[in-house]
Amino acid sequence: FFHAEDGIRDRSPSRGLGDVYKRQILGYHKGSKERLDVEKTYNQMFNSKVDVPQYIGSEEILTESRKDILPPHDHKNIVGTFSQASEKHVNDAIENLIQNKSSWSNTPWEKRCDIFLKAADLLADKYRAKITAGTMIGQSKNIFQAEIDAACEFIDFLRFNVSYLTEIYNEQPIDGPGKSNHLEYRALEGFVYAVTPFNFTAIGGNLCASAALMGNVVLWKPSDNQIFTAKITMDIFKEAGLPDGVINLVTGDPEMISDIALKHPEFSGLHFTGSTSVFRDLWKKIGNNISLYRDYPRIVGETGGKDFIFCHPTADIDASATAIIRGAFEFQGQKCSAASRIYIPESISDNLINKVVEETKTIKMGSPIDFNNFMTAVIHKDAFKRISSYIDYAKNSDECKILHGGNYDDTVGYFVQPTIILTTNHQFKTMQEEIFGPVVTLYVYNDNDWKKMLDIVDNTSDYALTGAFISKDEESIDHALKKLKYSAGNFYVNDKPSGAVVGQQPFGGCRASGTDDKAGSKLNLLRWVSPRLVSRTHNPPTDYPYEYMD
Ligand code: NAD
């Protein structure tokens, strides 16, 4: 059945994927073209400066007040500046969005899709080296981590979202006798406010692009520590044909920007990813301002984690060790899904712990442009201080010992050695709190207690983002899936708890970890529409009595 009002011509749910879905993870082998491209681009960007403006409508405004952009692994090398918005800039950005709202939300859906599909193609090709090198410089990711984030995940978000849009638009009510019914998936009436974290270039792009694809206008406030690639993202959207004033980017004091956005009567939704405390604060503000708004705003937040790996007594030692090392130390433990509390049965503990420690000793750390390095620096001074304070706490505690690591140095960059803590207390501070750095805590349990331990896993932290259960015993897996039903929004069996792929592992957690709206899925896009039901009667009744009255 065809609803002309929707303008739906191509009803294939595979739009965005299908034949055009050809994204690859590049290998960056020595001597490969992609590696040479990234090296060249990295060196150019690292040795020059870029000034990031506010993007407000057609204007790119460089303010007088600026902050420096500093690579975390070499924080004395200034690679650019970013502008600090005034209250007027924020107000202007919102007013501009409101002016453009009607034309964008009435833009045919195919056109909106084409723009974001073109952005995906630009990322996959023309801008691939630039966004990868930018992520290596600005966020200190090694080349592989930059590739799977800034290129692959971002491309996937854009293409899969188009596919999900077509699925959503295809979901229509049935028609009744003499009536045709139609759901029109309107954009929200006001604007969406996207507040994004430092740790994924793809998340920054996706939180605004997903809402914009559904016809919304978006005020984007990226993290100060992702600005370098936020600019590349805006340049790509513009080159892909996104009209001015659909996504306006403002940078500066996050509280000031948020206070203005959240007091605006046309504020219709918050698309947030970041820490739990900031999200709770924003939610409170929205609650306090609720009578100011025309709409009940949509609130989507993906926040912190204290992600676990539970090794069952049948767990494979090599698979467990790899899951622990990759899960805990990739991108310096700065993934919301990073493994940070590990439960190990006594029977395999000597072998497993020994393997984890010995392998961790081989990890090299330094600049991301040296491809031997598995790890680089943590994101900024405050993160460095926070992480090192947890290490110092462990050093001074008699409930744990540090098996490896424990050193940190911020002379050149914010480097923290991968650190393995072994505790005798399953409620130890580093088993409970999000550290967001390369620190993992191990706890050894008695094999016979593995079922009881699952209750402890469930109750140890406020978070419920990701978790992994490693076992060769199917019954134990079934049991864990039931016991840990609400302990993680993403639950991995026989793998690390990180590394979600769009379209394969829709991502999000519950409890203190967020609203579980699953970024990279149809569920997320549904939050950015306000459906209107249109029911059309073909032969309207012409008198009021019903037959039973005869
Ligand atoms: P953050 O909370 O410090 O910052 C996130 C965003 O909020 C940034 O844009 C920042 O400028 C803004 N912000 C900071 N203080 C604010 C305030 N007072 N008012 C308004 N906005 C404010 O987080 P981060 O350090 O950028 O990212 C790390 C956090 O994000 C971790 O807790 C991590 O677990 C979480 N995270 C979660 C997911 C997920 O999918 N669950 C994904 C990535 C990151």
Side-chain angles (χ1 to χ4, degrees), residues 526-540:
L526 282 168
R527 302 300 310 271
W528 310 118
V529 290
S530 173
R532 172 167 75 160
L533 182 279
V534 179
S535 184
R536 191 181 290 251
T537 301
H538 304 305
N539 293 305

Side-chain angles (χ1 to χ4, degrees), residues 275-299:
S275 58
T276 299
S277 58
V278 172
F279 184 52
R280 286 181 172 160
D281 187 48
L282 295 176
W283 192 305
K284 265 188 223 154
K285 286 181 176 164
I286 294 169
N288 289 337
N289 294 339
I290 196 71
S291 54
L292 300 179
Y293 309 136
R294 187 176 45 204
D295 284 325
Y296 292 107
R298 303 287 165 90
I299 306 179

Side-chain angles (χ1 to χ4, degrees), residues 195-200 203 221-224 254-255 258 272-276 278 281-282 302-305 336 434 436 465 507 513:
V195 183
T196 61
F198 79 83
N199 65 339
F200 279 87
I203 294 180
K221 200 222 76 62
S223 158
D224 287 2
E255 266 194 86
S258 299
F272 177 85
T273 299
S275 58
T276 299
V278 172
D281 187 48
L282 295 176
E302 297 304 334
T303 59
C336 48
E434 183 180 53
F436 221 59
L465 189 52
F507 193 81
S513 292

